[in-house]
Amino acid sequence: MLGRFGSLVPVVAQNVQIQQQQRGMATLKSISIRLKSVKNIQKITQSMKMVSAAKYSRAERELKQARPIGSGASQFYEKAEIAAPAELPAKLLIAITSDRGLCGAVHTSVARLIRNELNNDQQNLKVVCVGDKSRMILQRLYGKSIIMACNEIGRLPPTFNDASRLADAILKSEYDFGSGEIVYNRFKSVVSYSTSTLPVFSLAAVKTAAKLPVYDSLDDEVIQSYLEFSLASLLFYAMKEGACSEQSSRMTAMDNASKNAGEMIDKLTLTFNRTRQAVITRELIEIISGASAL
Amino acid sequence: MAAMRCVSRLLTRRTINTISTRGYADEMSFTFAAGNQVFYDSQSVRQVDVPSFSGSFGILPKHVPTLAVLKPGVVTVFENDGAVKKIFVSSGTVTINEDSSVQVLAEEAAAVENLDASAAREVLSKAQSELASASTDQARAEATIAVEVGEALVKAVE
């Protein structure tokens, strides 16, 4: 181990010497290489911004259509005043993220909320990760709490089919939860979103609700299928909100990246020109002083 | 005498007005949303007829609170101005809350006039052939649901 370090040090020292020897020319070259790569990065971030702007406008249009579904589905839970049952403390958290990164803090803020909940009570909490990003963030420390993860989210806009398949998988997972929360990013405007939660409940929780007797002619089967459908609609709504905030956040992130790249390009062009001028001046001095010495 | 009659006419008109405003106060806030489209968002309507698994029923303002699961069929909405709108739904839920708010959430919905009769029949025949060729229990159940939807579609178009 030590021997290897010993042989490395002289190599590094040699390199520094070579670089110092031919500084003028080499920096000119290296600056132009860096300039080129930053310009390429700017092109990439700019086109990514364009793509996500187009995707965002579509996502926002679709979100407007999905909002009544979400509010309609959650209204029963609010108006019937359903609370989590005390005898069944098991809880389910559904993290709505996607597979794609480079979009600011949308995924980390969802994961952070879940992490805080898990730190409080790891016994009765299980997590369903929708999208690879939340799984990647959570699995290292809380891998045992994850009961399910799904990917291939975010490439295409979410559909009701995706949501109902997810709801089906959650109901078939045989995790007996009393209540749950869907953690998602609620879209506010192009520049802001807030990480919020939507409650979901199981049949056991609904049956113990104080206001349930107000509702007429209910049997378990009706409530069960009602709950299954409302879980799907809530998931659909949350996925739409998540997709919209993700695209808008990616748009701002890429806009910032292009701006920063622009600043870097400006600075690099300035140093490039300065160095070039310095090289020319030095060569002139060399020629002139050489000629006058003759 | 003429003045008296005039006053009495005014009075009767006033009573009619109060009755109609009271009728208006019992309105419901009706939301009808589907995965593909939103038809009503907290709007006031006169009556809604829905097909459910526990039987079709009509909803008027101040209906008793209940939950129901939609069956494939036609939801009929009677708007306040008398217009009648028929919308086909494949499946979904109906929620009627204490405060007279009604939510119909459907998986997919389309106005009946936009449905194509020949396409509907095609859906039905395709579902029937799938049912005949289904091997597993799950496939059979799925095909049965598809046939149900197809039959309701054809019935709605006719």
Side-chain angles (χ1 to χ4, degrees), chain A residues 261-275:
Chain A
E263 268 172 36
M264 256 173 103
I265 289 171
D266 285 349
K267 268 186 200 159
L268 281 173
T269 339
L270 198 67
T271 27
F272 178 77
N273 288 342
R274 255 189 213 150
T275 328

Side-chain angles (χ1 to χ4, degrees), chain A residues 64-66 68-69 71-73 75-76 79-80 160-161 164 168 172 211-212 214-218 221-223 225-226 229-230 233 236, chain B residues 29 31-38 40-41 54 64-69 91-99 101 103 105-107 138:
Chain A
K64 269 193 195 131
Q65 297 282 304
I69 294 187
S71 58
Q75 233 163 44
F76 168 66
K79 294 201 167 140
F160 202 91
N161 258 348
S164 48
D168 196 44
K172 275 190 188 150
K211 267 200 165 178
L212 196 72
V214 176
Y215 288 80
D216 188 35
S217 69
L218 289 184
E221 204 182 325
V222 169
I223 301 179
S225 29
Y226 179 87
F229 189 81
S230 77
S233 6
F236 174 66
Chain B
S29 104
T31 305
F32 187 160
N36 52 344
Q37 203 180 344
V38 177
Y40 296 90
D41 188 5
S54 42
V64 64
T66 189
L67 303 176
V69 182
S91 67
T93 58
V94 186
T95 320
I96 304 161
N97 288 312
E98 242 185 321
D99 57 355
S101 66
Q103 283 105 34
L105 303 178
E107 190 179 345
Q138 198 187 343

